[in-house]
Amino acid sequence: MTSPSEVPSEVGDYLTPSELPKPKLKRTSTGFTPNQILTYEAAIPESARNIWTKYSQLSLTDHQRSQPTKEHEVLTTKQGFEKAFVSHTELTLARNMYNCDELAAYMAAATTIRDGLVLDWGNTQQKQTIHDGKRVYYLSLEFLMGRAMDNALINLKCRDNTQESLAELGFSLEDILNQEPDAALGNGGLGRLAACYVDSLSSKNYSGWGYGLNYQYGIFQQKIIDGYQVEFPDYWLRYSTPWEVDRKEIQIPVDFNGYVYEDVDPNTGKSHKVWSGGERVLAVAADYPIPGYNTQNTNNLRLWNAKPTNEFDFSKFNAGDYQQSVGSQQKAEAITAVLYPNDNFEQGKLLRLTQQYFWVAASLHDIVRRFKKMHKDNYAIFPDKVAIQLNDTHPTLAIVELQRILVDLEGLEWNTAWDIVTRVFAYTNHTVMAEALEKWPVDIIGKLLPRHLEIIYDINYYFLQDVQKKFPEDRDLLASVSVIEEGQRKQVRMAYLAIIGSHKVNGVAELHSELIKTTIFKDFVKVFGPDKFTNVTNGITPRRWLRQANPELAELISDLLNDPNYEYLTNLGQLKNIERYADNDKVLQRWNQIKFDNKQKLAQLAKDLTGVEINPKYLFDVQVKRIHEYKRQQMNIFSVIYRYIKIKELLSQGKSLAEVAKTFIPKVSIFGGKAAPGYYMAKTVIHLINKVGDVINNDKEIGDLLRVVFIPDYNVSKAEIICPGSDISNHISTAGTEASGTSNMKFALNGGIIIGTVDGANVEITREIGEENIFLFGHLSEEVDDLRHNNNYKGVQVPKSLQQVFDLIYSGKFGNVDEFRPLIESIAQHGDYYLVSNDFDMYLEAQQKLEKVYGTRRWTQMSVVSVANMGFFSSDRCVDEYAENIWNIEPLSQ
Ligand SMILES: *Cc1c(COP(=O)(O)O)cnc(C)c1O
């Protein structure tokens, strides 16, 4: 591995004095600190300098200015936008007025907005470097960003200018925005959380970068064919993306395989380990500017591409196999080709481990290089300058890699290095479910990363020594906290390594953070004490999930708060002040109208994607999220079947549709979500939902009392339409399984009512909005172990209601019975691990209860009061909590 100092530098980073160019200028370096600017400036001939200054858009030397931004005219004037738009159409895209279709118009508009954005971005990087404060790096293997353009228009406050300019040029903003493909570099909640956090880091003026992978293929596109999920590749960069700034010059070599030997320094006689002889690939940076709201602060999201090196296998070449020599190089790009499509499930594939190391090695060397430019090898202050957050265990190898850099490459003593490492890292746990906890076989790590395996063993050895000293009597404890799990095939427990290498470990909602302390990590609480474990309840960015997704509601709130500049979007506690309008008829009426408008948009989406017409006057009952047994979409569709059975029963007793509607109000069940391609049970659930929809939607007898739609290819931009258009949304996981959930927050912030279990962040949402404004049901997490035990040993008690549902499925009403058999048998015969039979009747009761309130004044009041009390769930609050309790960093004054 090349030492970090040999790696080329980057725009926006700054040289140490010793690296400064000699007066006879050779333009090979980039970046400046204030003092260096003076020296560098002196070396540029005055005539050249004058030309640069005349045309420069940046104000690099003006670093003391109090008004930081040269407001860019493309963002503030129609003339500026239109001029740049036409220029980009003609010069960047090589098109013209006569062949500028909507896609070209999107590209030209996005590139124009980006022009304004990159100036803020450059200024921000300079400001952060000059300030030389502590920076945080958020390492996440997933960033589920969605679309960038509307978000940029909102955060830069140039939406109106852009809309008007585009209209003058003959385009509708909405159509142009719809041209953008989602950046879907994530599976679900975990990836979307990372996206919300980078938005908040910028908006709250932190120096905070994201580091991830620039997958060429995001999460697959889902189509429903004959009722089955079929996956299609998501080649989202087909037209390239204007939001990416290629940093081809930032290339970091990353090594794999090879062997380790011991080298003795002839001068000192000291020995150290050398990792050598492996294969090398390059990590090349692709940067995405992350604009803050109402601030110039624009952080960076750096995603790595894997590329081949220039080296190639001369032995093969000399043997006449040029083709193969180049061909094996080509493999490099496979590392960042595709996102693993599993949510809450680890498959243990070699390529996945390769991705993980590639990403953390590149990111850490980048971080260390940035540190060294300012502070050389003064590693004692490294933890004062760098905080690294591990989003789940996926980046755990970063702990090992930093220890390796410090000990093997930089020559620090083991203990000195380890003290630095543990002060830098913090780890966020996202699940307690066994199948999602990462473990890697020792032999696989040993082959791919031989030196890292040695370091892991050493870390474990010293850790267990400490444990033994502290608890000399407790033999079992050593085995239970060991990073190495013994067995047929020894495995490395990544979560344990993450805990040992971090100074803080957090869960993502109060219930979940308590659960990890009492279950999977309880022995570590014993070893480290309780203070190492903390909670940061998840949040969502109100810029995207309120202002962007629901402009009408955002505007009403801005009116009610008398806040024409939408300042409340970075101070979401302000929402509390709308609570007093919960009795105001005019407001309630407008509130209902907005919900209706949003339901119309959702109905249109459903019609466009499925052909099914749904009436926005009826109750919209939504469940959109990844399809997973623990999230219990099966329980939802069973309840729909039950409703259908009951409606048919009443009709067969001679009741009219109008009479039936008194018991079963007209309702539309809306589903959406992807199943991991290899998750058979989840795919069965999707198939059942679609088959049930076919039957119910085509049953003329029931009129329009019931509709079922499955919206294909659920993603962020669809969520932005679906969340504002729901009356109720389902968050009905088996208690104790959903760590937090974030779509529960999206729905509630948009005035939707939740039907849910006492799980994840539902608990805190209830505390904030009041238990009279949410429909909770089901067994509690404390009861789950006993219920499972009883289901296993006494047999599952399928309630009568659910048995009727099973009977109808077994009658063949929804197609081939054999296809649905495993789903039913997992409940009725195999212990019902997710407790569907235990919670089913309570679920039905909760539905009845809420349907009595739906459509009344009280319902709208619930909605208003909910929104008024959702301020806590802004991701701005989350990054503030991380900054204060975990990272120890402060915002940069603007
Ligand atoms: C918010 C979001 C999620 C997370 O949903 P949960 O219901 O919290 O699991 C998943 N996918 C997308 C596209 C989202 O926007």
Side-chain angles (χ1 to χ4, degrees), residues 24 154 191 252 318 345 402 427 453 468 647 652 710 881:
K24 198 157 187 306
I154 287 163
I252 297 183
N318 289 332
F345 182 79
L402 183 57
Y427 153 56
L453 183 62
Q468 197 166 26
I647 290 171
S652 73
F710 188 93
E881 286 185 9

Side-chain angles (χ1 to χ4, degrees), residues 479-495:
S480 75
V481 298
S482 174
V483 170
I484 307 296
E485 183 179 272
E486 300 294 333
Q488 280 276 342
R489 199 176 182 191
K490 285 188 191 175
Q491 309 216 80
V492 178
R493 298 153 158 164
M494 301 308 268

Side-chain angles (χ1 to χ4, degrees), residues 212-250:
L213 292 181
N214 200 33
Y215 303 109
Q216 304 299 294
Y217 296 86
I219 187 68
F220 62 84
Q221 285 183 357
Q222 177 195 56
K223 290 188 184 166
I224 303 298
I225 299 177
D226 296 335
Y228 295 100
Q229 165 176 299
V230 181
E231 301 94 21
F232 289 81
D234 169 48
Y235 186 50
W236 72 292
L237 295 168
R238 183 162 50 245
Y239 305 111
S240 80
T241 169
W243 305 104
E244 173 192 304
V245 178
D246 246 338
R247 296 273 192 220
K248 292 214 164 56
E249 73 282 7
I250 301 178

